[in-house]
Amino acid sequence: GPGAGGGWGRGARGSVATAVVLYQVEPEYSEEARKARVQGTVAVMIEIDEAGRVRNPRLRSTLGMGLDERALEAVRRWRFRPYLRDGKPVAGPALVELRFRLL
């Protein structure tokens, strides 16, 4: 299943609470990847805005065969409880890994 994680902690600007996934969409397999029996993980770097929406998704690791595009489509629809700095929502980065496995 998918996962998310950021790199924030306590620093000079105060403490930052980690963003939490509230809603996620599982990516669908492309027909090409299914036929080729491709499995693995696509990593996507994202920005989570103050409202918990995904902004500026960028591929960090890819699988090809249409799976990268499916991963981007899915993660754009995710929603998060945003990072909080001193109790106020702030934008911040996160790395999301989407695993593709055939049953």
Side-chain angles (χ1 to χ4, degrees), residues 19-71:
V20 175
V21 178
L22 298 175
Y23 173 78
Q24 63 190 42
V25 175
E26 296 291 332
E28 294 183 22
Y29 254 91
S30 66
E31 200 55 40
E32 179 184 19
R34 188 181 308 283
K35 287 179 183 175
R37 304 203 45 80
V38 173
Q39 298 186 92
T41 302
V42 174
V44 181
M45 193 70 190
I46 63 172
E47 293 289 324
I48 300 168
D49 71 13
E50 295 86 352
R53 293 181 301 259
V54 172
R55 301 286 182 222
N56 196 26
R58 301 171 310 281
L59 293 168
R60 292 286 301 264
S61 67
T62 65
L63 290 174
M65 296 201 165
L67 296 179
D68 305 332
E69 293 79 9
R70 298 290 175 97

Side-chain angles (χ1 to χ4, degrees), residues 9-16 85-86:
R10 186 162 178 79
R13 295 186 179 177
S15 62
V16 177
R85 179 179 291 132
D86 298 324

